[in-house]
Amino acid sequence: MSPAAAPNVLVVTLGSTTGWASSARELTDSFARAGAHVRLVGTVPRRSVRTFMLTDYSQARAARRTVLRALAQQPADAVVYCSITAALLWPRPGAIWLDSLAAENRPGRHGVWQRRVERRRLTAAPLVLTMADSSLDSMPVADRPSAVTVPVPVAPSGPAAATRDVDVLAYAGDPVKRRLDLILAAWDRARRDGETLVVTGTDQAGAPPGVRFTGRLAPDAYRELVRRARVFVAAPRREDFGIAPLEALADGCVLVTTPAPGPYPALTLARELDPRLVGEDLACALRIALDDPRSGYAERAAKLLAPFGRPSVDRTVADRVLPRLLTR
């Protein structure tokens, strides 16, 4: 594609969400590698408010203002909204890249207005992109829009550590959503003398025996720790995409997880790799992962992760996303 003919694509994300900001940068880079002129704009982080309804409204308004300002500065041939929340109050229809639906993660009063607007936006969107094949499963089949699966790219973060000296690693950026209490209780039952669970993303005073908290880490420091871990444990209440378990698999960890609602593609991979390590009895699964891991686990995980790699995602964006985005 010649520079003169390259389309202009505007990607908008929510600056208040670290995961979405990182994912949007990956999508932006993929569009650029496909030959597009692409701009990424993000909202300014907003102060916390009391309810999900008001949080989503505040973030959607900020996204609307951000898009209007960006389009006034430079027109775009297409707009891509990263998350359904960013698209709820859009000033102009565009593609929507989503991990899951408000119909699923905003039940009851938490999503009274979001669920209704969401249906209209999905109908009007020129293109819907989903992070997982199952992202739209909560919708009736007859109502589902045609969609292209575009996962967040996942790749090894560096060479494997010479020694995996971290027994078990957990990420608990939100301890309640990640069910850290369940993980700690399971570890208390499962651990043997000298074994340690390292918990990142949060800090607590008075760590229990065999537990070390690191607090929040820079991305490079976190992935270096992942490369040193033997086992990665997760117990989410629900998982929209779940980048941390996928990154753990990419860096050679054995994944132990509870089942969880939501798209959660790593759950499918974990069951295929070793179903003994998926279940509500985390203590038992942790002991199996530490004492009896299946031979060739990391090599098989690498093969299963191929559709999540940048080369695969780049092909999808170049062949199936950008052409459709520009012909609507």
Side-chain angles (χ1 to χ4, degrees):
M1 185 179 297
S2 67
N8 288 294
V9 177
L10 178 67
V11 177
V12 58
T13 190
L14 301 176
S16 57
T17 307
T18 303
W20 267 112
S22 175
S23 299
R25 285 193 294 272
E26 287 281 2
L27 185 64
T28 299
D29 291 344
S30 191
F31 274 122
R33 290 190 290 269
H37 291 306
V38 58
R39 288 180 293 153
L40 172 62
V41 294
T43 61
V44 176
R46 314 291 295 176
R47 64 181 178 85
S48 298
V49 293
R50 293 183 60 185
T51 67
F52 283 125
M53 288 190 294
L54 189 54
T55 295
D56 292 343
Y57 178 70
S58 175
Q59 292 181 347
R61 280 192 65 194
R64 178 184 178 86
R65 290 194 296 266
T66 298
V67 173
L68 287 171
R69 184 164 53 249
L71 292 176
Q73 294 171 350
Q74 181 181 335
D77 298 307
V79 180
V80 179
Y81 297 92
C82 291
S83 82
I84 193 70
T85 303
L88 288 175
L89 298 178
W90 66 18
R92 165 179 163 178
I96 302 174
W97 190 32
L98 58 88
D99 50 1
S100 66
L101 299 172
E104 189 174 4
N105 62 29
R106 291 291 188 265
R109 62 183 176 82
H110 297 296
V112 168
W113 73 273
Q114 302 98 307
R115 297 191 299 269
R116 184 171 63 252
V117 176
E118 172 182 81
R119 291 193 294 270
R120 298 204 299 265
R121 293 295 176 263
L122 291 173
T123 299
L127 183 61
V128 175
L129 312 175
T130 62
M131 287 190 181
D133 295 338
S134 57
S135 292
L136 301 178
D137 280 2
S138 61
M139 292 184 70
V141 174
D143 296 338
R144 292 178 197 170
S146 174
V148 178
T149 301
V150 182
V152 180
V154 177
S157 60
T163 302
R164 290 190 175 266
D165 58 350
V166 174
D167 298 302
V168 181
L169 178 67
Y171 172 76
D174 184 325
V176 175
K177 289 182 179 179
R178 302 298 167 190
R179 295 203 294 178
L180 178 58
D181 56 346
L182 182 67
I183 292 174
L184 294 178
W187 182 241
D188 182 61
R189 297 194 306 273
R191 71 177 291 265
R192 292 175 181 163
D193 289 344
E195 293 178 335
T196 302
L197 164 68
V198 177
V199 180
T200 70
T202 189
D203 205 350
Q204 292 186 11
V211 178
R212 178 167 66 88
F213 290 95
T214 69
R216 294 186 179 275
L217 298 175
D220 288 347
Y222 168 74
R223 291 300 294 272
E224 189 272 336
L225 192 59
V226 176
R227 294 196 302 273
R228 291 167 48 200
R230 297 169 58 196
V231 176
F232 186 92
V233 60
R237 290 183 180 274
R238 62 163 284 114
E239 192 61 88
D240 295 326
F241 182 68
I243 190 69
L246 290 171
E247 289 176 339
L249 288 172
D251 277 333
C253 295
V254 173
L255 176 59
V256 169
T257 183
T258 56
Y264 197 9
L267 176 60
T268 301
L269 302 187
R271 283 178 169 143
E272 184 168 349
L273 288 163
D274 191 343
R276 301 176 301 166
L277 308 185
V278 179
E280 294 296 341
D281 189 347
L282 277 182
C284 177
L286 283 166
R287 283 276 36 113
I288 293 172
L290 290 167
D291 299 337
D292 186 29
R294 285 195 170 167
S295 177
Y297 185 100
E299 292 76 16
R300 289 186 294 116
K303 292 180 180 178
L304 292 176
L305 285 168
F308 297 88
R310 285 193 183 96
S312 178
V313 173
D314 282 354
R315 285 193 299 271
T316 299
V317 169
D319 298 342
R320 302 181 60 200
V321 175
L322 195 54
R324 290 178 62 181
L325 197 60
L326 300 172
T327 55
R328 300 301 179 105

